Amino acid sequence: MSGFFVSFEGIDGAGKSTHIARLADALRGQGHVVTLTREPGGTPLAEQLRALVLAEKMDALTEALLVFAARRDHLQTVIEPALVRGEAVLCDRYTDASYAYQGGGRGLDLEVLAALERWVQAMPETNKLRQPDLTLWFDLAPEQAAERLAGARAPDKFEAEPVAFFRRVADGYARRAAQDPQRFTRLDAAQSREAVWAELLTAVRRKGWLT
Ligand code: TYD
């Protein structure tokens, strides 16, 4: 019995958070053991790196090195062991966010990201990289996301970026989705919460993880 790995992606304000919690409940309701986690973060060390990345000014490569360092610790101490135990791993963001934010948003060379990805996500026994089995991409126009974020809690370093930054992030997600259409499910996040949830459920049921 091996577990499965679902990542949740999208620009800030696209509305992934409520759906992650709801999917965790639905899976638990059908007998799955769920590990609910996030990136950057998910371990004590990675949470410290997250605090730095979200608050301190730094260049794009430094940012990428820190998120991948966090990812390494998270993979080794949380994600891989949970998958071995046969659990459902739900992760709020993963490597697609590095391609979207550091690659798209900051303009970092995608080859650098690909190299880090190969180092950090290598699975020695199979010669493959650890990738999610399913990525739920909450796709929303940056202008709409900005409206939703306005008036919410105090913005972190990324949330304070202008709409033009999020346009580049959104383009980064779109490119990544086009490269791996099997793994990605695009959810139209402009819809009502219930309509987004219905689309999400369809994708998860198609995988056979929920009836
Ligand atoms: P987010 O997931 O939006 O959490 P919250 O809901 O608490 O705001 O915040 C994480 C931020 O980190 C988000 O703005 C995207 C950014 N990020 C990167 O820039 N690169 C990465 O590789 C990851 C995982 C996240």
Side-chain angles (χ1 to χ4, degrees):
M1 180 184 65
S2 93
F4 57 89
F5 178 15
V6 184
S7 65
F8 293 73
E9 297 284 0
I11 61 174
D12 290 271
K16 29 181 193 69
S17 306
T18 52
H19 292 289
I20 299 176
R22 194 165 171 185
L23 180 59
D25 285 343
L27 288 166
R28 287 186 183 115
Q30 293 192 16
H32 293 278
V33 177
V34 176
T35 289
L36 189 57
T37 188
R38 68 172 181 181
E39 291 209 347
T43 73
L45 173 61
E47 289 292 332
Q48 292 195 51
L49 295 172
R50 176 191 179 93
L52 292 172
V53 168
L54 264 56
E56 305 293 337
K57 259 192 84 151
M58 59 188 74
D59 88 313
L61 177 57
T62 308
E63 217 170 74
L65 291 167
L66 292 180
V67 294
F68 272 99
R71 181 161 299 132
R72 175 72 180 173
D73 190 50
H74 188 216
L75 266 172
Q76 289 208 300
T77 64
V78 173
I79 297 178
E80 296 294 352
L83 292 172
V84 168
R85 291 193 302 267
E87 297 179 10
V89 176
L90 306 186
C91 192
D92 189 346
R93 301 188 185 281
Y94 188 62
T95 307
D96 301 310
S98 308
Y99 279 85
Y101 282 78
Q102 281 67 51
R106 302 267 192 246
L108 183 65
D109 185 351
L110 300 185
E111 274 307 307
V112 171
L113 293 169
L116 291 170
E117 187 180 25
R118 282 194 297 275
W119 278 101
V120 167
Q121 291 161 236
M123 297 190 290
E125 61 290 357
T126 63
N127 224 2
K128 287 200 210 147
L129 302 184
R130 173 61 72 194
Q131 301 290 9
D133 298 298
L134 173 67
T135 295
L136 297 166
W137 170 34
F138 292 71
D139 190 23
L140 184 67
E143 295 75 13
Q144 269 179 286
E147 265 173 48
R148 289 186 188 175
L149 281 181
R153 54 188 182 166
D156 64 34
K157 189 180 82 180
F158 291 102
E159 291 162 354
E161 290 282 351
V163 168
F165 175 85
F166 287 105
R167 166 127 350 260
R168 296 195 298 276
V169 174
D171 289 346
Y173 275 126
R175 271 195 302 275
R176 202 68 179 149
Q179 284 164 2
D180 203 346
Q182 293 272 73
R183 171 165 68 83
F184 271 84
T185 292
R186 177 187 173 276
L187 305 173
D188 177 3
Q191 304 173 97
S192 70
R193 192 171 286 182
E194 285 310 308
V196 174
W197 173 246
E199 277 193 4
L200 188 159
L201 269 186
T202 302
V204 174
R205 286 186 179 133
R206 206 184 301 127
K207 286 285 191 180
W209 299 327
L210 280 177
T211 55

